[in-house]
Amino acid sequence: MITEERFFEHFMDPVDGVLCLSATSDAAAIEREASPHGLRFPLLLDRATPLCEQVASSPFAPASSRYGPYCDNITGMNWELPDGRRVRVGERVVKSTTGYDLLRFLLASSSRYGRAMDYVLRLRPACDTSRVFCLRGDAACLRSALKSLLQSTWMHWLDSVDLVAGDSPFLRVAVHCPALEFEAYQDFLSAFSKKFSLALEPAAGPALDGCPDLVVKTTPEFVADTALSLAKHPGAKCVALCSCGVVHVFLPDSGAIGEIVRPIESALHAMGGHWQSRHVSPSPSPLEASWISTLRKEWNIS
Amino acid sequence: MTPPINAVVAALHRAAPGSRVMMSPAQMAGYESDGLGYKSFRPDLVVIPSDADELAQVVRVLHDARVPICLRGAGTSLSGGPVAAQGGAIVHTSKLRAIREISLDGFWCEVESGVNLRQLDEALQPSGLCYPPDPSSGPVCTIGGNVASNAGGAHCFRYGVTSNYVLGLEVVLLDGSTHRFGGPAGGNGPWLEDWKRLMIGSEGTLGAFTRFWLRLTPRPEKVWTFRATYPDLQSTERAIHGLVRHPAFPVAIELMDPRAVALVETSSMAVGLPKGHFLIVTEIDGPAALVDLRVESVAEVLRSAGSADVLFSDKAEDRENLFKARKAMGGLLGQVSPDFLVQDAVIPKRALANLLQLIYDEADRAGVPAVTVMHAGDGNLHPNFLFDSRIPEEVKKVEGISKRLMQRVVEVGGALSGEHGIGNDKSAYMPMVFGPESMHLQLAIPQIFNPRHQFNPMKVFTERRFVA
Ligand SMILES: Cc1cc2nc3c(=O)[nH]c(=O)nc-3n(C[C@H](O)[C@H](O)[C@H](O)COP(=O)(O)OP(=O)(O)OC[C@H]3O[C@@H](n4cnc5c(N)ncnc54)[C@H](O)[C@@H]3O)c2cc1C
């Protein structure tokens, strides 16, 4: 029987497509390890911010549309509790039901119980063609196009389908595929945009919007309306990660968050959604506070 | 002090008049064990609540009476989960069978915990949406059991396991209070923390689930299924390594060893699989315009790994036959052997041939027949050891092999369970994976919701014993 604490060492396993590296790594550091093996970590919000800060700012990135949230793509971590004790949570294999799922719980907990030191990332095959397209048209056409796209089997194969809500909203679709398949994607997107009277054009850059100031979690059904309405706030830019039901809100002034979320909070809670912001930490209800206090006591976190 | 059982029954009748309470030995016999079979524990009583409200009342009465409470769905667990390991009551969710809502635009459904996967799939058929997790026990197992054990299945390599699809759940805690973590939107709801994460995979040790909100996804337009045979472990491993990195991202990569193929082919479930080889079944799906482009390159991966026999088809009946053969295993094992013990470890895929060889060597040396199937894409290994639990020597041998296998799994960096859960079958192995500090963090979780381990005692961690 092993009785010692186990930790993840840094490693790259191209067969399993898993990579263990420091949680403070940025996109370039991940690519240095993964690219030589024809692999990539698709869940990025921007290229320069350390991954742990990206994860703390939102559970989702645009490519979550295809690959799920961060917590489904980080299989394990070395975690440091606030007093410096370290533990390993999760696994280096992609599937496990071995004890309570502290991995996902901690990933969602900001830094209330400590911080990630290292991540084990689930990588995906990297292909030679990456393109981003914008689909523009009037609001009604965008809405019905979005509804149809979400119900289509193509959804599993598009890296992201985002509604970028600002002065003139548009749909942003990211494609990552082998060159051989690109034509099929193009054919699909042209026919699709024609059907919904949308203009299809290449986007200027990748689907990287940075770390949001505010994240709103709703259902795919309400995500477009939520994004369009939040974008009315002065200076706000909103990106709806449509199939995830997530709105990333970018604000000129994080002081406005309370005012923005107050009108939508109870409706969000009623459908099991919520908002979160790296700038604000809400307080728990008395019942939840008692659970948290038990947990902190048991974990010896003062 | 625990009140006499008759007083508990009377209190249950008062608090939950629509619920069925059973106590006769004949009735208890059906609840003594689960799919693992050979470890049986007789409950003192079984309660079948008529609905979620009555379930909450039942939990409250049992809590007050200090009776251990074990939730049970279909009882198909393969890890000794839904059994009364410390006596007490089994609470059976068979009446919680309603599919309450399907939201086509929201991509979610709301179901009660006793709904089974086949029932859900039938209800979703007309919508063009599906709920992907597909344990082989799908025709009977319940969503409650799936969520509690974080069930997987053949198609989870690409689509993911149950935890990837639970948007929210309703749970009755020990004091009979009902709480909702998440909901259709899959967030935290009014809670600061994401408590549902601790509930999923908790194997009935934190509370009783009554309802779920599950994420749905569009059904694939077209499916190609491939079958390839391999002469040895090395070429089989090569094929699996090639498939997992293929950009077509197969949905399923399943392996049957020659003994598993032989078992199917000598049974009434025979579908004409070639005997004497390792068999890989893999599948790609998606829009027809994409998958049709990918067929040849997937076949080429299978061929170049060393298969001279690669077949593929887009016909539903071919696909059904292959998966019928793969999924028939559990039932067939029950027919050919008085007992079987199936392990559920997940291993790094580079250790695959090595671990399979260890299984064969150990089993052959001990004279224990072993039949192995595997969700190979995930590295999720299912060796089935056949034995007769009436012969103590055989039980000892099988448990010895399991322990050595688990030690090796941990050495190569694997996990004890990928989808069946720990139950009482694997709890003794937990100190192999959790050091003292991690174990401490793990055992803190029941302290929040079930501090005296009244819910499902003696499961997951051996330390979890209920003291009334
Ligand atoms: C032939 C066969 C094939 C199988 N194939 C697969 C497979 O491919 N993949 C896979 O993952 N599993 C498989 N299994 C194992 C089993 O079917 C799964 O673990 C399934 O999820 C159990 O569901 P159930 O309804 O039978 O739950 P049960 O066996 O009744 O219970 C399982 C666990 O869940 C708890 N539980 C049940 N309901 C609730 C509730 N409402 N609230 C709280 N806790 C609850 C129980 O206490 C227990 O710990 C197979 C089993 C068999 C017999």
Side-chain angles (χ1 to χ4, degrees), chain B residues 20-32 42-43 46:
Chain B
R20 189 164 171 214
V21 183
M22 301 184 289
M23 281 176 71
S24 79
Q27 289 167 323
M28 296 308 97
Y31 290 91
E32 278 181 1
R42 179 155 293 208
V46 171

Side-chain angles (χ1 to χ4, degrees), chain B residues 103-371:
Chain B
S103 166
L104 301 185
D105 293 332
F107 296 88
W108 56 267
C109 65
E110 181 187 330
V111 300
E112 292 183 345
S113 61
V115 165
N116 72 47
L117 284 177
R118 175 176 289 173
Q119 182 193 353
L120 179 60
D121 195 56
E122 280 166 5
L124 291 173
Q125 282 281 353
S127 70
L129 299 177
C130 65
Y131 171 73
D134 63 337
S136 305
S137 48
V140 289
C141 68
T142 65
I143 308 274
N146 291 178
V147 174
S149 47
N150 194 13
H155 291 81
C156 293
F157 175 57
R158 192 174 87 230
Y159 285 119
V161 295
T162 302
S163 67
N164 305 127
Y165 290 88
V166 180
L167 297 168
L169 52 85
E170 183 182 81
V171 60
V172 175
L173 297 182
L174 205 48
D175 60 359
S177 61
T178 299
H179 304 273
R180 191 175 134 174
F181 299 130
N188 294 4
W191 308 96
L192 179 62
E193 307 294 0
D194 194 356
W195 298 105
K196 68 176 170 301
R197 295 302 179 183
L198 298 177
M199 295 285 157
I200 300 166
S202 60
E203 302 192 38
T205 65
L206 299 181
F209 304 145
T210 45
R211 262 202 278 180
F212 304 104
W213 290 267
L214 304 173
R215 183 163 73 86
L216 306 175
T217 182
R219 271 176 205 267
E221 185 187 347
K222 185 157 187 190
V223 183
W224 282 95
T225 310
F226 301 70
R227 186 202 90 177
T229 56
Y230 293 91
D232 52 37
L233 278 172
Q234 286 65 35
S235 52
T236 309
E237 189 181 88
R238 265 201 309 279
I240 292 164
H241 291 180
L243 287 171
V244 293
R245 299 185 50 184
H246 195 281
F249 214 141
V251 201
I253 306 173
E254 294 290 299
L255 169 68
M256 290 171 76
D257 79 352
R259 302 171 196 202
V261 173
L263 182 66
V264 173
E265 286 305 313
T266 48
S267 76
S268 58
M269 307 292 278
V271 291
L273 302 176
K275 286 195 247 173
H277 305 273
F278 289 89
L279 183 87
I280 289 183
V281 176
T282 188
E283 197 159 278
I284 57 172
D285 75 13
L290 282 184
V291 281
D292 289 347
L293 282 177
R294 295 170 176 167
V295 180
E296 248 322 307
S297 70
V298 172
E300 191 43 40
V301 168
L302 293 167
R303 284 187 208 109
S304 63
S307 176
D309 175 26
V310 177
L311 298 181
F312 46 95
S313 165
D314 60 352
K315 293 198 179 57
E317 67 194 75
D318 293 336
R319 173 181 193 237
E320 277 156 22
N321 262 342
L322 277 173
F323 278 98
K324 189 175 92 184
R326 164 62 185 86
K327 294 192 171 190
M329 288 299 303
L332 290 176
L333 290 166
Q335 288 172 23
V336 298
S337 172
D339 297 285
F340 67 92
L341 187 144
V342 53
Q343 287 303 347
D344 175 40
V346 188
I347 52 165
K349 288 182 277 287
R350 63 174 70 249
L352 200 147
N354 182 292
L355 260 291
L356 279 175
Q357 195 57 56
L358 175 92
I359 290 164
Y360 297 143
D361 292 346
E362 284 270 0
D364 290 350
R365 198 177 309 131
V368 171
V371 176

Side-chain angles (χ1 to χ4, degrees), chain A residues 2 5 37 156 181 217 298, chain B residues 185 217 245 294 431 438 440:
Chain A
I2 292 172
E5 214 56 49
H37 303 282
H156 295 298
E181 294 179 1
K217 180 81 182 83
E298 290 293 324
Chain B
T217 182
R245 299 185 50 184
R294 295 170 176 167
S438 318
H440 181 79

Side-chain angles (χ1 to χ4, degrees), chain A residues 125-240:
Chain A
C127 301
D128 41 20
T129 306
S130 267
R131 298 284 169 81
V132 183
F133 296 93
C134 300
L135 287 82
R136 294 179 193 274
D138 70 39
C141 293
L142 283 174
R143 271 206 185 81
S144 38
L146 180 59
K147 188 171 166 186
S148 161
L149 192 53
L150 290 178
Q151 276 163 356
S152 137
T153 181
W154 281 88
M155 268 314 293
H156 295 298
W157 297 100
L158 298 169
D159 250 25
S160 60
V161 174
D162 310 323
L163 177 78
V164 182
D167 291 341
S168 58
F170 61 93
L171 281 180
R172 185 180 66 186
V173 175
V175 172
H176 183 88
C177 66
L180 172 76
E181 294 179 1
F182 184 60
E183 201 180 316
Y185 279 94
Q186 255 184 328
D187 291 349
F188 165 71
L189 286 173
S190 330
F192 178 81
S193 44
K194 201 173 284 165
K195 182 171 165 198
F196 291 95
S197 310
L198 301 174
L200 176 71
E201 55 194 53
L208 294 172
D209 306 299
C211 294
D213 296 294
L214 169 67
V215 179
V216 174
K217 180 81 182 83
T218 174
T219 68
E221 185 180 6
F222 297 114
V223 75
D225 286 341
T226 307
L228 291 168
S229 110
L230 291 174
K232 289 189 185 132
H233 189 84
K237 177 188 160 193
C238 295
V239 179

